Amino acid sequence: MESRYNSKEIEQRWYKFWESNGLFRASVDSKKKPYSIVIPPPNITGILHMGHALNNTIQDILIRYKRMQGYASLWIPGTDHAGIATQNVVEKQLAKEDLSRDDLGRESFIERVWKWREEYGSTIVRQLRRLGASCDWSRERFTMDEGLSSAVIEAFIKLYEKDFIYRGNYIINWCPRCKTALSDEEVEYQEQEGFLYYLKYPVLGEEGKFVTVATTRPETMLGDVAIAVHPSDERFEFLKDKKVVLPILNRQLKLIWDDIVDPEFGTGAVKITPAHDGNDFEIAMRHGLKPVVVMDEGGVMNENAAEYRGMDRFIAREKIVEDLEKQDLVEKIEPYVNSIGCCYRCGTVIEPYISWQWFVKMQPLAKEAIKVVKDREVKFFPPRWEKVYLHWMENIRDWCISRQIWWGHRIPVYYCRDCYRQTEVLGSLDSKSGENIKGIIVSRDKPDSCPECGGRDIYQDEDVLDTWFSSWLWPFSTMGWPNTVKSKQQAGKSQSLGDLDYFYPTSTLVTAQEILFFWVARMIMAGLEFIDQIPFSDVYIHGTVRDEKGRKMSKSLGNVIDPLEIIDEYGADALRFSLISITAMGQDVFLSKDRFIFGRNFTNKIWNAARFLTMNINEIKSVSPYKEGSIFDSWILAKLRNLIQELNVSLDKYNFNEAAFLLYEFFWHVFCDWYIELKKKDLYSEENGVQDSASLILIFVLDNLLRLLHPFMPFITEEIWQMLRPNLKYAYEFLGFNYNDTESLMLNSWPDMPDRFKNEEAESRMSSIIAIIQTVRNMRAELNVPSQEKIELVLFSSDLELLETFKKNISYLGPLAQISDIKIEREEIERPPYSAFGIIGETNIYILLEGIIDFERERERLSKKREKMIKNLEIAKNKLKNKDFINKANESVVQKVKERDQMLGLKIAEISDIIDNI
């Protein structure tokens, strides 16, 4: 082995080997249980960020773990066409050429987008390979490929035929920049500082009397159709049967009474602008009021805005307020922090806008999706997300699925110009719900003629479907639906099973909390509606990756950490292990670049330990059966058995950071710090069979650790394991196992240690022996005993067998703490002169130090050290008593002070004990 681990060369070589040999591929196998995951498809516009790195590391851990457990493990990769985002990217590209999509026309623009996708759309897929993702790339899908496009059309038609899809002229979220509708979930709310304007509306026929309303958007007043107050608000009794006048336009407005009005907001009177406010739209429907649209699709004031026509909405706001002030119709303006809805793609402030759109009725689909979660058929990890899911589902609103862009799945609706008429009604426009609309044709393919009149002037709806309309079908559309229909009749006929029969439902979904409603909830509804089965049984929701200050990573803040830079510097294994070690279930991940040093150091430790062993283990050609040897061997094998069991529990419960901690602690602090150190004597022994016996157990333990580490750190474990392969057969035979060799570690079996290796007595004895050695080491360090000085111990314990074991193995244990010899006392004794004293459990430890240290000088040194610690402890305690510090300081800073307070207290007590002992 090279002296240093070369991650770049090794990662590239092994990933190429795995993929070129088809080792990631999964197939239907009646002899195995299926385990499947579908990747949350990243946008083709995306590049790998830390959120992707965390999400896909978790999925890869699960898929490699299950593959080694003997499951037929399938991880389906793919990408999302990302309608709005991709169109924006290509339009920006065109703008640099002084072109627009309208200059190209729809067909040429779509060709341009496909060309862009071919050049750039696979970037993130290549980057996932660098991370080590063991996806079945032969099954890679794209939401716009032929099969998934067929699934989208099929789903639309099935829902339309069940009266679950309708077209309506409703208030929706509109992005003036992207010029398309957005669903409620695609609107991101941001707190912004603005103003609350108190505007005076004259009362008709009442000179000098006004109704004052408060609004944050004066530009929308031009679309007012009424003023509303709460029925119980006595302040407005005098206005009954009166009208008010809309300033500037002098339009007469009704005064209406509605329970939805909050008497505590502003003045208690609110303007009703149904074409530009969702709540106002609902009020207008109840009171039979017709909306007035005052803006166009770009957020520019239209012909209904009179003299403000052609102005941007925000410029119009300033001009309207200025004009109202001239007429003394502005009572006051107050600073106001408002929650503003913005487009999730471009950040533009959205405009509530009345528009013809296609919708899916969600309540009928939600009923069964609520039931399967309540019945625990679908389980959330952590469980708290179940309540969030149920709250949203129980209050679900219809889904606006049409988008006014060109890139995406074109809505499969056609119109006959000869007989189609658009009826401008508020509410549903749908032949299934009472409107006798002719000339609307929902079809998989463009019809040759109209079924109503026979006319041939047929055209397709211009809109495309929301990107998520293809994503919600992802778990089964990627397995061939609707061309492959899940067949319940095939149950028990494994030889006839297809992917959909065998791998669906999938097993675990790993996702971020932001798309719980965008995607997770909708997939559950789609699975139950189209396949009559849940799409997955477990949903693991990981936290958001933030910087060390708790802020979201963004280019504007300059706090982005590029995973590819980390991979270049430290290696993919270091990145993966560092990330997963700080990923506690349900908690956000706070990350700095320094965090990856942890993973790098662990990678180096694994490499160096393996290198030491390969350099010191001879080639083995034959073995004799293992007979229970030293306590050290019994102990390590028992500890390994425990590790495997504990790791299985952690992984099965999705406690990934706990699993990483178990592996780290065992490899570094049990295997390296203790077992390898204890076995060095045997590795260097010339006694017949001793070296081989030690080598075989070391090989066996290392092999098991590499297999346990492989899902977390696939590259370094594969490299080292391949070097161990020649001796693995002998190591397993030595310990009484059958060994099946495989071409790759990832195809080897997950470790399993039978009960014959259970040895609680050896674990207990070794635990006590280690505690004694650690105590001696600590006492040596605190008393400044020179490292080269060997010392003698006097030990007393009620457990004489423990002491005999210690003395019997002094040649192994002595070098670990520079102990030259020990004397065992069978009865409790007085403390020997010139000795330091320690106690572990029932064992008294006396270190004989006459002539080795100056006791008086050490007492003085330690006393000064204690005084300094007492002062620091006092500072920490004063901070914790300070309410301003507790309330204002960052939570992590307060926690560090608390930890320092506890640490100093323990350390002071420890030093006091040593001083007393001296």
Side-chain angles (χ1 to χ4, degrees):
M1 290 174 68
E2 297 292 332
S3 60
R4 297 185 65 182
Y5 176 58
N6 185 343
S7 60
K8 289 183 181 178
E9 185 272 327
I10 287 170
E11 288 171 8
Q12 185 178 13
R13 172 160 47 83
W14 282 117
Y15 200 91
K16 183 179 179 181
F17 173 83
W18 292 331
E19 188 172 3
S20 62
N21 284 281
L23 304 189
F24 300 150
R25 292 183 184 176
S27 58
V28 174
D29 187 341
S30 60
K31 296 176 182 177
K32 294 182 177 181
K33 290 182 179 179
Y35 182 87
S36 56
I37 293 177
V38 288
I39 201 170
N43 293 344
I44 56 171
T45 56
I47 58 172
L48 194 72
H49 57 62
M50 276 301 169
H52 292 132
L54 174 62
N55 180 274
N56 287 280
T57 293
I58 292 170
Q59 291 177 82
D60 198 41
I61 287 170
L62 289 171
I63 212 75
R64 288 178 184 271
Y65 169 52
K66 291 296 181 180
R67 188 185 287 127
M68 293 178 77
Q69 281 190 322
Y71 287 79
S73 298
L74 170 64
W75 185 9
I76 298 179
T79 49
D80 190 283
H81 65 279
I84 296 172
T86 306
Q87 179 152 319
N88 282 346
V89 168
V90 177
E91 285 192 274
K92 286 177 182 176
Q93 198 178 68
L94 289 174
K96 292 177 182 177
E97 304 170 27
D98 292 326
L99 293 172
S100 70
R101 60 168 166 156
D102 294 316
D103 293 331
L104 268 65
R106 186 169 191 141
E107 190 173 327
S108 296
F109 177 76
I110 295 300
E111 287 178 6
R112 182 70 176 256
V113 181
W114 275 107
K115 183 180 177 183
W116 181 93
R117 188 253 173 179
E118 288 169 11
E119 289 184 30
Y120 304 106
S122 297
T123 299
I124 195 165
V125 167
R126 292 193 297 273
Q127 292 170 335
L128 286 172
R129 285 172 162 88
R130 289 205 61 192
L131 186 68
S134 59
C135 302
D136 185 344
W137 297 109
S138 67
R139 298 171 184 263
E140 184 180 347
R141 304 305 300 268
F142 175 50
T143 51
M144 288 282 285
D145 69 27
E146 186 177 347
L148 271 67
S149 295
S150 298
V152 166
I153 293 170
E154 188 69 21
F156 185 97
I157 291 172
K158 283 181 178 293
L159 292 174
Y160 184 82
E161 288 172 348
K162 290 185 71 172
D163 194 22
F164 285 179
I165 285 183
Y166 63 94
R167 192 175 184 230
N169 194 28
Y170 290 126
I171 193 91
I172 46 90
N173 302 300
W174 183 267
C175 176
R177 158 66 181 79
C178 301
K179 293 187 179 178
T180 182
L182 302 172
S183 68
D184 291 341
E185 293 74 42
E186 290 171 317
V187 178
E188 293 182 344
Y189 288 90
Q190 303 171 6
E191 284 198 348
Q192 293 184 9
E193 293 182 358
F195 297 96
L196 191 59
Y197 303 86
Y198 289 80
L199 310 180
K200 297 192 290 187
Y201 286 52
V203 178
L204 186 65
E206 299 280 345
E207 188 70 28
K209 288 191 176 181
F210 304 90
V211 176
T212 301
V213 300
T215 180
T216 58
R217 303 163 67 218
E219 69 277 12
T220 64
M221 69 183 295
L222 304 177
D224 288 355
V225 298
I227 298 293
V229 298
H230 193 276
S232 65
D233 199 330
E234 296 178 356
R235 291 173 294 176
F236 300 98
E237 283 292 322
F238 76 99
L239 287 173
K240 280 195 173 178
D241 303 322
K242 289 185 171 58
K243 292 187 177 181
V244 294
V245 177
L246 175 64
I248 300 175
L249 297 184
N250 294 318
R251 188 163 68 231
Q252 293 184 17
L253 305 177
K254 287 183 178 180
L255 188 78
I256 61 175
W257 310 81
D258 200 288
D259 290 331
I260 200 171
V261 178
D262 179 7
E264 301 298 320
F265 176 76
T267 64
V270 296
K271 56 197 254 347
I272 302 303
T273 318
H276 297 279
D277 185 276
N279 290 329
D280 292 2
F281 182 84
E282 299 295 335
I283 293 173
M285 295 304 96
R286 289 196 292 273
H287 294 271
L289 302 172
K290 187 176 180 180
V292 177
V293 179
V294 296
M295 293 179 207
D296 67 13
E297 294 176 349
V300 175
M301 309 308 287
N302 66 14
E303 64 278 3
N304 293 328
E307 62 192 271
Y308 306 100
R309 179 179 182 177
M311 290 185 186
D312 176 83
R313 53 186 169 156
F314 299 122
I315 294 173
R317 176 183 298 178
E318 294 175 8
K319 187 69 171 71
I320 288 169
V321 171
E322 182 185 322
D323 291 346
L324 289 172
E325 285 177 325
K326 289 177 183 176
Q327 300 176 44
D328 195 26
L329 293 176
V330 179
E331 185 174 294
K332 60 180 177 177
I333 302 173
E334 294 178 343
Y336 187 73
V337 177
N338 200 10
S339 184
I340 303 294
C342 300
C343 174
Y344 81 120
R345 283 298 174 203
C346 69
T348 301
V349 175
I350 64 105
E351 188 65 39
Y353 196 64
I354 196 163
S355 173
W356 286 104
Q357 301 290 341
W358 288 94
F359 295 86
V360 175
K361 296 176 184 176
M362 299 303 282
Q363 286 187 349
L365 297 172
K367 288 179 182 176
E368 190 62 25
I370 290 171
K371 184 177 183 297
V372 294
V373 170
K374 285 184 174 179
D375 291 347
R376 307 286 292 160
E377 291 181 53
V378 176
K379 297 181 287 295
F380 286 91
F381 298 86
R384 72 168 185 268
W385 286 106
E386 181 181 320
K387 289 183 180 179
V388 179
Y389 168 90
L390 291 173
H391 175 76
W392 185 76
M393 293 291 280
E394 287 162 357
N395 297 277
I396 198 166
R397 296 173 65 179
D398 288 355
W399 176 15
C400 176
I401 57 171
S402 45
R403 297 291 180 269
Q404 290 65 51
I405 56 176
W406 288 352
W407 173 243
H409 296 100
R410 192 99 172 252
I411 290 179
V413 174
Y414 301 84
Y415 304 97
C416 169
R417 282 195 175 91
D418 295 336
C419 64
Y420 172 72
R421 61 183 178 88
Q422 279 194 352
T423 304
E424 291 189 17
V425 293
L426 296 171
S428 177
L429 176 61
D430 184 349
S431 58
K432 307 294 182 189
S433 59
E435 296 291 341
N436 186 23
I437 303 301
K438 296 180 180 180
I440 299 178
I441 310 153
V442 177
S443 173
R444 291 172 179 82
D445 302 298
K446 183 179 179 180
D448 294 327
S449 60
C450 174
E452 292 285 341
C453 69
R456 293 185 175 273
D457 191 0
I458 307 291
Y459 68 98
Q460 189 172 359
D461 197 303
E462 290 290 318
D463 291 351
V464 301
L465 288 160
D466 177 11
T467 297
W468 298 97
F469 197 88
S470 54
S471 300
W472 77 326
L473 311 175
W474 188 251
F476 48 88
S477 63
T478 51
M479 295 188 194
W481 186 90
N483 297 324
T484 303
V485 179
K486 189 169 177 68
S487 172
K488 291 182 179 178
Q489 287 76 24
Q490 293 297 331
K493 301 177 183 178
S494 300
Q495 69 278 6
S496 304
L497 294 179
D499 283 355
L500 197 60
D501 294 292
Y502 184 68
F503 287 112
Y504 187 91
T506 63
S507 307
T508 306
L509 178 75
V510 179
T511 188
Q513 59 201 45
E514 303 93 74
I515 53 176
L516 177 60
F517 309 129
F518 278 117
W519 193 46
V520 180
R522 289 174 183 164
M523 281 192 290
I524 295 173
M525 289 185 271
L528 293 167
E529 175 64 24
F530 300 114
I531 306 293
D532 197 29
Q533 276 188 291
I534 56 173
F536 31 71
S537 54
D538 291 353
V539 181
Y540 176 84
I541 299 179
H542 59 75
T544 302
V545 180
R546 301 180 181 274
D547 70 10
E548 58 190 330
K549 296 178 181 177
R551 302 173 301 178
K552 266 193 170 184
M553 290 188 177
S554 69
K555 289 181 180 178
S556 60
L557 290 174
N559 62 351
V560 172
I561 301 174
D562 184 351
L564 295 178
E565 288 182 9
I566 300 300
I567 291 173
D568 285 338
E569 188 171 355
Y570 298 131
D573 288 330
L575 178 139
R576 288 165 63 116
F577 198 80
S578 297
L579 263 183
I580 212 68
S581 67
I582 55 174
T583 301
M585 186 188 290
Q587 295 180 21
D588 287 349
V589 177
F590 297 90
L591 197 60
S592 67
K593 200 170 181 182
D594 291 343
R595 289 276 194 173
F596 297 102
I597 295 172
F598 170 79
R600 180 205 62 187
N601 290 347
F602 188 44
T603 304
N604 289 341
K605 185 70 173 180
I606 294 169
W607 184 259
N608 291 335
R611 183 169 180 265
F612 168 79
L613 292 179
T614 55
M615 288 172 64
N616 288 283
I617 290 175
N618 295 329
E619 183 182 357
I620 299 167
K621 296 181 179 178
S622 63
V623 294
S624 302
Y626 169 71
K627 295 175 182 177
E628 190 168 336
S630 71
I631 186 174
F632 313 133
D633 297 335
S634 300
W635 165 73
I636 196 67
L637 294 171
K639 292 284 284 185
L640 179 62
R641 177 181 172 276
N642 293 346
L643 172 67
I644 294 166
Q645 292 181 342
E646 290 170 4
L647 197 64
N648 289 344
V649 171
S650 295
L651 288 174
D652 291 342
K653 291 184 176 180
Y654 305 106
N655 289 321
F656 297 105
N657 66 319
E658 182 181 272
F661 174 79
L662 289 169
L663 288 166
Y664 177 88
E665 284 294 307
F666 191 98
F667 194 98
W668 196 307
H669 297 302
V670 176
F671 184 57
C672 293
D673 286 356
W674 290 101
Y675 188 66
I676 290 178
E677 292 300 316
L678 287 165
K679 298 302 284 186
K680 282 180 178 178
K681 179 175 180 291
D682 288 348
L683 284 177
Y684 303 145
S685 173
E686 295 182 3
E687 187 180 338
N688 186 37
V690 171
Q691 190 183 65
D692 282 356
S693 176
S695 298
L696 290 167
I697 297 178
L698 281 162
I699 290 169
F700 176 82
V701 175
L702 178 57
D703 169 70
N704 275 267
L705 289 175
L706 292 174
R707 285 193 275 160
L708 296 173
L709 281 162
H710 180 74
F712 298 81
M713 309 172 82
F715 294 107
I716 191 172
T717 52
E718 182 77 73
E719 176 74 6
I720 296 170
W721 183 84
Q722 293 287 348
M723 296 178 183
L724 293 182
R725 278 180 74 186
N727 284 327
L728 288 179
K729 174 177 179 289
Y730 302 110
Y732 276 77
E733 285 180 3
F734 178 64
L735 288 164
F737 288 92
N738 292 322
Y739 181 73
N740 295 317
D741 192 26
T742 53
E743 60 184 310
S744 167
L745 172 57
M746 64 178 285
L747 299 181
N748 216 292
S749 58
W750 187 252
D752 181 33
M753 296 278 285
D755 286 345
R756 63 188 170 94
F757 291 103
K758 183 177 180 180
N759 197 325
E760 293 176 356
E761 184 181 347
E763 287 187 78
S764 175
R765 283 279 152 78
M766 275 301 297
S767 177
S768 297
I769 287 170
I770 288 170
I772 292 170
I773 292 172
Q774 287 174 328
T775 300
V776 173
R777 284 173 172 175
N778 292 340
M779 291 165 70
R780 287 184 65 119
E782 288 295 350
L783 293 169
N784 269 355
V785 176
S787 59
Q788 72 276 10
E789 287 283 355
K790 290 185 179 288
I791 56 172
E792 290 184 47
L793 299 187
V794 177
L795 301 177
F796 165 75
S797 176
S798 58
D799 186 355
L800 283 174
E801 213 170 315
L802 168 66
L803 301 186
E804 291 294 347
T805 303
F806 197 109
K807 188 171 180 66
K808 175 184 174 185
N809 291 286
I810 191 64
S811 60
Y812 292 92
L813 299 170
L816 301 182
Q818 288 292 74
I819 302 167
S820 59
D821 196 11
I822 65 168
K823 180 182 178 184
I824 296 174
E825 295 290 345
R826 297 182 178 275
E827 294 181 4
E828 195 163 359
I829 61 169
E830 289 186 11
R831 179 175 171 179
Y834 301 105
S835 68
F837 171 69
I839 185 167
I840 289 294
E842 298 177 354
T843 303
N844 292 352
I845 305 168
Y846 304 98
I847 303 179
L848 305 183
L849 296 170
E850 185 174 6
I852 295 177
I853 64 168
D854 184 329
F855 281 79
E856 200 56 46
R857 192 168 69 184
E858 285 306 310
R859 188 187 351 261
E860 186 179 341
R861 181 183 67 83
L862 290 169
S863 295
K864 287 179 180 178
K865 186 175 181 180
R866 179 173 62 180
E867 286 173 17
K868 187 177 179 181
M869 285 185 172
I870 289 169
K871 287 178 182 178
N872 290 335
L873 179 62
E874 189 176 342
I875 292 170
K877 287 193 178 297
N878 286 337
K879 277 189 176 182
L880 295 175
K881 288 176 185 176
N882 187 331
K883 290 183 179 178
D884 285 343
F885 172 74
I886 297 295
N887 294 331
K888 294 179 181 179
N890 187 291
E891 189 178 334
S892 62
V893 174
V894 175
Q895 183 59 33
K896 283 180 182 178
V897 175
K898 288 180 178 178
E899 290 171 1
R900 181 168 173 75
D901 175 67
Q902 292 176 345
M903 183 273 291
L904 285 168
L906 293 170
K907 200 69 181 170
I908 289 167
E910 184 181 324
I911 291 177
S912 296
D913 285 344
I914 294 170
I915 292 170
D916 291 343
N917 287 338
I918 292 174

mmCIF file of all heavy atoms in Angstrom, residues 85 157 224 227 659 671 700 853 889:
data_model
loop_
_atom_site.group_PDB
_atom_site.id
_atom_site.type_symbol
_atom_site.label_atom_id
_atom_site.label_comp_id
_atom_site.label_asym_id
_atom_site.label_seq_id
_atom_site.Cartn_x
_atom_site.Cartn_y
_atom_site.Cartn_z
ATOM 1 N N ALA A 85 -37.714 26.830 -14.402
ATOM 2 C CA ALA A 85 -36.279 27.092 -14.224
ATOM 3 C C ALA A 85 -35.514 26.913 -15.535
ATOM 4 O O ALA A 85 -34.673 27.746 -15.900
ATOM 5 C CB ALA A 85 -35.714 26.179 -13.149
ATOM 6 N N ILE A 157 -55.826 12.200 -18.314
ATOM 7 C CA ILE A 157 -57.083 11.714 -18.889
ATOM 8 C C ILE A 157 -57.896 10.937 -17.855
ATOM 9 O O ILE A 157 -59.116 11.106 -17.744
ATOM 10 C CB ILE A 157 -56.799 10.860 -20.147
ATOM 11 C CG1 ILE A 157 -56.278 11.771 -21.265
ATOM 12 C CG2 ILE A 157 -58.048 10.104 -20.589
ATOM 13 C CD1 ILE A 157 -55.792 11.046 -22.490
ATOM 14 N N ASP A 224 -61.023 47.932 -6.932
ATOM 15 C CA ASP A 224 -61.984 47.753 -5.828
ATOM 16 C C ASP A 224 -63.404 47.656 -6.355
ATOM 17 O O ASP A 224 -63.806 48.396 -7.278
ATOM 18 C CB ASP A 224 -61.906 48.935 -4.849
ATOM 19 C CG ASP A 224 -60.632 48.928 -4.023
ATOM 20 O OD1 ASP A 224 -59.871 47.949 -4.149
ATOM 21 O OD2 ASP A 224 -60.404 49.892 -3.275
ATOM 22 N N ILE A 227 -66.458 47.914 -0.207
ATOM 23 C CA ILE A 227 -65.796 48.057 1.081
ATOM 24 C C ILE A 227 -66.501 47.097 2.029
ATOM 25 O O ILE A 227 -67.733 47.033 2.067
ATOM 26 C CB ILE A 227 -65.901 49.499 1.624
ATOM 27 C CG1 ILE A 227 -65.202 50.477 0.682
ATOM 28 C CG2 ILE A 227 -65.291 49.584 3.023
ATOM 29 C CD1 ILE A 227 -63.712 50.319 0.587
ATOM 30 N N ALA A 659 -25.057 5.603 13.837
ATOM 31 C CA ALA A 659 -24.335 4.508 13.183
ATOM 32 C C ALA A 659 -22.896 4.920 12.871
ATOM 33 O O ALA A 659 -21.950 4.152 13.082
ATOM 34 C CB ALA A 659 -25.064 4.097 11.896
ATOM 35 N N PHE A 671 -10.478 -0.923 17.963
ATOM 36 C CA PHE A 671 -9.630 -1.727 17.095
ATOM 37 C C PHE A 671 -8.187 -1.191 17.042
ATOM 38 O O PHE A 671 -7.226 -1.942 17.279
ATOM 39 C CB PHE A 671 -10.240 -1.762 15.692
ATOM 40 C CG PHE A 671 -9.502 -2.645 14.722
ATOM 41 C CD1 PHE A 671 -9.300 -3.992 14.985
ATOM 42 C CD2 PHE A 671 -9.012 -2.131 13.522
ATOM 43 C CE1 PHE A 671 -8.629 -4.814 14.087
ATOM 44 C CE2 PHE A 671 -8.342 -2.936 12.612
ATOM 45 C CZ PHE A 671 -8.147 -4.282 12.899
ATOM 46 N N PHE A 700 -9.689 -10.892 9.910
ATOM 47 C CA PHE A 700 -11.132 -11.118 10.032
ATOM 48 C C PHE A 700 -11.844 -9.871 10.562
ATOM 49 O O PHE A 700 -12.859 -9.441 10.024
ATOM 50 C CB PHE A 700 -11.386 -12.300 10.969
ATOM 51 C CG PHE A 700 -12.840 -12.567 11.234
ATOM 52 C CD1 PHE A 700 -13.608 -13.297 10.339
ATOM 53 C CD2 PHE A 700 -13.460 -12.075 12.382
ATOM 54 C CE1 PHE A 700 -14.958 -13.541 10.578
ATOM 55 C CE2 PHE A 700 -14.807 -12.312 12.632
ATOM 56 C CZ PHE A 700 -15.559 -13.044 11.723
ATOM 57 N N ILE A 853 9.596 11.277 40.474
ATOM 58 C CA ILE A 853 9.124 12.655 40.402
ATOM 59 C C ILE A 853 9.392 13.370 41.730
ATOM 60 O O ILE A 853 9.599 12.726 42.764
ATOM 61 C CB ILE A 853 7.608 12.744 40.095
ATOM 62 C CG1 ILE A 853 6.777 12.134 41.230
ATOM 63 C CG2 ILE A 853 7.266 12.121 38.761
ATOM 64 C CD1 ILE A 853 5.298 12.447 41.122
ATOM 65 N N ALA A 889 -27.298 35.800 23.284
ATOM 66 C CA ALA A 889 -26.223 35.044 22.623
ATOM 67 C C ALA A 889 -26.795 33.914 21.779
ATOM 68 O O ALA A 889 -27.885 33.405 22.042
ATOM 69 C CB ALA A 889 -25.253 34.487 23.663
#
